[in-house]
Amino acid sequence: MREHRIAAIPGDGIGKEVIAAGLDVLETLERRDGSFRLIVEQFPWGSDFYRKTGRLMPADGVAALKLFDAIFFGAVGDATIPDHVTLWGLRLPICQGLDQYANLRPARILPGIVPPLRDCVPGDIDWLILRENSEGEYSGSGGRVHRGLAEEVATEVAIFTRIGVTRIMRYAFELARKRPRKKLTVVTKSNAQRHAMVMWDEIAAEIARDYVDVTWDKALVDAMTTRMVSKPKSIDVVVASNLHADILSDLAAALAGSLGIAPTANLNPERRFPSMFEPIHGSAFDIAGKGVANPIATFWTAALMLDHLGEPAAASRLMTAIERVTADKSNHTPDLGGTATTLQVTAAVKHAIVSANA
Ligand code: NAI
Ligand code: MG
């Protein structure tokens, strides 16, 4: 029996609801498959933990996570605590401490989902957005002096290293090579940002020489937003800096139907440390506690996690179940225009897993 150790961190708001649903579905898959076991430990970290202890997680939290094979994360964010405190107290220390430098965000229109673009049909959007996840604009470098005075200065320094850019470019070309269309778009802003982004472009061109089978092009980030809307079929794999991909991937999630569907994987590709899997969305104060959060993003996230753990059969069984469920509009939660609850969608996916032949 193959065993995988999972650290589950539900976090805040709907994070708790969707991770509970995700673990429920994973348990069903485990029983259906019968050849692997998930040993799950839950960590009550997040804003409630902060209110009790003054920290989002214990000081040795990241070290504790190193003992696991993967991390299954909900969301962090609280209406009464500033977002930079919650984000830098939990999610970013995990990503940086475990060197999860590759953030993968697939975007695809699932069956039954009506995308917001008028002429867009399922198949038009099948993208893999790769976000540099360890440096760039979110390196945390900078500071403030003369606080509150008229002379106050604040800097937020984007850090790009040759090692950091090289490894993300190489991973991007590897991903593109594995896809049927073998296309990569390198997002840049080297017209206006003439230091780091010029190095970014140069390194992309250097790495490209090792991947002659991959067709690649460059797009300025502003032009990329219009291309995603007006020529979605021209896009396959996309690589972009931390900030650029943060924005583009939210747009991608919306174009594919809803934030409630979009998954992401924070990967340490060399597997020196565990990778972290989470839905893209946040804690959603507006719907938290109402039982209507869409759990599909978390289920898709669980499929990415199973794939990473070396359980491709269970991953594809889960994806098939998800697609069967989204195809039926009676399973749509309010974000998709329906009236289904989190529990109803979860029950439908479990049923689809159990009743599938293959
Ligand atoms: P959000 O993603 O929580 O919500 C944006 C909108 O999408 C809301 O109207 C929400 O109801 C809807 N939505 C999101 N997920 C949904 C789901 N599964 N089903 C149905 N509807 C869904 O983003 P927002 O409002 O900007 O942030 C709320 C809090 O979450 C903030 O504290 C923010 O910092 C945090 N956040 C945390 C993230 C993380 O932990 N990775 C990511 C994004 C935001
Ligand atoms: Mg974001």
Side-chain angles (χ1 to χ4, degrees):
M1 181 81 87
R2 300 181 297 276
E3 289 189 344
H4 309 291
R5 288 172 54 86
I6 311 289
I9 309 175
D12 300 335
I14 65 166
K16 295 177 184 164
E17 301 165 41
V18 294
I19 290 298
L23 291 174
D24 193 6
V25 160
L26 282 168
E27 220 177 279
T28 305
L29 275 168
E30 198 182 325
R31 273 199 305 275
R32 172 71 178 74
D33 188 285
S35 62
F36 69 92
R37 203 159 83 85
L38 301 177
I39 302 162
V40 179
E41 189 173 332
Q42 298 221 33
F43 293 87
W45 301 342
S47 296
D48 294 339
F49 194 86
Y50 177 81
R51 273 184 280 271
K52 277 184 229 140
T53 68
R55 304 184 58 102
L56 273 289
M57 68 171 155
D60 61 355
V62 173
L65 293 175
K66 287 185 182 166
L67 305 174
F68 290 84
D69 298 311
I71 302 160
F72 194 37
F73 188 89
V76 63
D78 188 279
T80 66
I81 305 171
D83 286 341
H84 67 270
V85 172
T86 50
L87 200 62
W88 280 100
L90 188 59
R91 205 184 147 271
L92 292 180
I94 296 174
C95 288
Q96 297 193 342
L98 300 178
D99 203 20
Q100 295 164 347
Y101 66 85
N103 180 204
L104 200 58
R105 301 182 163 207
R108 185 157 63 81
I109 303 169
L110 297 181
I113 306 292
V114 180
L117 290 178
R118 195 183 345 114
D119 299 324
C120 204
V121 294
D124 284 2
I125 294 180
D126 186 0
W127 304 335
L128 207 47
I129 298 181
L130 179 63
R131 169 178 175 186
E132 201 297 316
N133 212 30
S134 69
E135 53 176 40
E137 307 87 346
Y138 298 171
S139 65
S141 172
R144 283 171 73 174
V145 289
H146 312 310
R147 254 176 212 257
L149 303 181
E151 296 80 4
E152 182 165 1
V153 178
T155 58
E156 191 79 48
V157 183
I159 306 268
F160 288 81
T161 65
R162 181 164 276 276
I163 288 179
V165 176
T166 301
R167 65 185 183 175
I168 200 70
M169 288 298 170
R170 197 165 283 287
Y171 194 62
F173 277 96
E174 287 290 331
L175 282 177
R177 174 174 271 177
K178 290 191 196 111
R179 307 254 299 176
R181 292 196 290 157
K182 297 191 194 331
K183 283 188 64 181
L184 174 67
T185 300
V186 176
V187 172
T188 184
K189 192 62 195 175
S190 50
N191 56 344
Q193 296 178 305
R194 61 195 177 134
H195 307 295
M197 279 290 127
V198 173
M199 183 180 81
W200 172 269
D201 291 1
E202 284 171 9
I203 293 174
E206 284 166 29
I207 304 291
R209 286 186 219 126
D210 294 340
Y211 296 86
V212 287
D213 52 330
V214 173
T215 313
W216 76 288
D217 62 355
K218 277 194 299 191
L220 295 172
V221 64
D222 40 351
M224 191 65 186
T225 58
T226 55
R227 181 165 155 196
M228 286 167 72
V229 171
S230 55
K231 287 189 197 154
K233 276 194 280 195
S234 74
I235 299 166
D236 182 12
V237 180
V238 176
V239 63
S241 71
N242 216 329
L243 169 67
H244 292 163
D246 188 5
I247 299 165
L248 294 180
S249 61
D250 268 28
L251 174 60
L255 293 176
S258 164
L259 210 50
I261 295 175
T264 180
N266 302 281
L267 300 172
N268 175 251
E270 293 78 24
R271 295 172 186 257
R272 278 168 61 218
F273 303 112
S275 295
M276 177 160 75
F277 301 82
E278 57 172 345
I280 282 188
H281 64 73
S283 50
F285 317 136
D286 52 340
I287 57 165
K290 296 187 177 152
V292 294
N294 192 342
I296 295 291
T298 303
F299 299 157
W300 192 346
T301 295
L304 296 178
M305 182 167 77
L306 287 166
D307 238 334
H308 182 79
L309 290 170
E311 300 295 348
S316 81
R317 179 174 286 140
L318 175 52
M319 268 333 281
T320 305
I322 289 170
E323 293 185 12
R324 260 180 68 192
V325 165
T326 59
D328 177 352
K329 288 197 168 38
S330 75
N331 293 321
H332 287 189
T333 42
D335 55 307
L336 297 176
T339 57
T341 64
T342 310
L343 288 177
Q344 278 167 3
V345 182
T346 306
V349 169
K350 286 167 66 179
H351 181 259
I353 292 166
V354 174
S355 62
N357 297 323

